[in-house]
Amino acid sequence: MADPLIIKICGIKTPELLEATIAAGADMVGFVHFVRSPRHVSVEDIATLISQARGRIETCVLLVNPDNSCVAEVAALGPDWIQLHGPETPHRVAAIRAEAGVEIIKALPIGTAEDVAQIAGFLDVADRVLLDAKPPKGADRPGGLGDSFDWALLKALDPSIPFMLSGGLAPETVADAIKTVRPFGVDVSSGVESAPGVKDKRLIEAFIRNARAAV
């Protein structure tokens, strides 16, 4: 039997939506600490949400090119994961993992064959890699834009490399993505929102239901 699919709902901001996400059967929940994102949550609020989630669902705090003080502050909250969603190099990812003592997800933007070729360089320094759509030039943030990438690019990837898939996933596309790309996990943010940063409980439920049915 295949390992169960990991489903991560990212960009949760309120206790109510956290409860809904847990009830819907997600495996991981993500909290965004990045001021330019419509999903930004303060460290104080993330602390409250992690306390609420502890022992019930895995927690992940998303950071973009954080400095050492930010890493230390977030690590002190005791999340299960830190997700790095900026231009961090393999060397920087390794340093953050060593300093934080927290498992690391490294998000990698995919837009070209060169991007796929760079995935291998992160496998030894991150605990998981998450493949996301490369943002368009001039975008004000590195993810959460609701775009997908050309999954055919992943045919060049060594099939033994496990990865999570993100980028443009939604309740109506996630089943096709799982069957086509065969990730071990999927991550959604804007695809379960009614407006930027505003999660919809019914869309979260539909996404999880459709993803589980596709495995």
Side-chain angles (χ1 to χ4, degrees):
M1 183 177 142
D3 291 328
L5 182 79
I6 302 290
I7 299 177
K8 175 170 169 275
I9 308 293
C10 197
I12 296 296
K13 298 199 295 188
T14 67
E16 296 76 23
L17 274 167
L18 175 55
E19 285 302 321
T21 301
I22 293 170
D27 301 288
M28 301 178 71
V29 62
F31 310 119
V32 176
H33 186 61
F34 181 58
V35 175
R36 292 211 299 273
S37 170
R39 303 165 191 97
H40 172 69
V41 184
S42 69
V43 168
E44 293 75 21
D45 286 345
I46 290 174
T48 301
L49 292 164
I50 286 176
S51 294
Q52 179 184 342
R54 187 164 282 120
R56 304 169 68 204
I57 189 171
E58 290 194 6
T59 56
C60 178
V61 179
L62 185 154
L63 303 173
V64 177
N65 219 21
D67 61 22
N68 289 348
S69 63
C70 176
V71 170
E73 189 176 27
V74 167
L77 304 178
D80 296 297
W81 299 84
I82 288 175
Q83 179 172 321
L84 299 173
H85 215 103
E88 301 90 1
T89 62
H91 179 76
R92 179 64 180 144
V93 174
I96 289 172
R97 182 163 72 165
E99 185 198 345
V102 176
E103 290 190 290
I104 300 292
I105 297 173
K106 177 64 183 105
L108 298 169
I110 304 297
T112 66
E114 289 79 17
D115 297 329
V116 174
Q118 287 176 16
I119 294 169
F122 288 90
L123 298 178
D124 290 337
V125 295
D127 299 280
R128 288 180 180 170
V129 292
L130 169 70
L131 307 185
D132 196 0
K134 183 177 260 186
K137 279 193 170 55
D140 67 346
R141 55 187 198 276
L145 301 167
D147 300 321
S148 59
F149 62 92
D150 180 3
W151 298 332
L153 288 167
L154 298 181
K155 287 181 178 152
L157 188 64
D158 179 340
S160 70
I161 293 176
F163 61 90
M164 293 182 73
L165 182 68
S166 185
L169 299 180
E172 60 273 14
T173 62
V174 67
D176 183 42
I178 291 166
K179 288 171 178 166
T180 304
V181 183
R182 299 286 175 196
F184 77 81
V186 289
D187 181 15
V188 66
S189 188
S190 58
V192 290
E193 291 179 346
S194 55
V198 182
K199 291 285 182 289
D200 184 310
K201 175 172 169 282
R202 287 163 305 181
L203 291 176
I204 292 172
E205 291 165 351
F207 182 89
I208 294 172
R209 193 167 55 242
N210 294 350
R212 296 268 181 240
V215 179

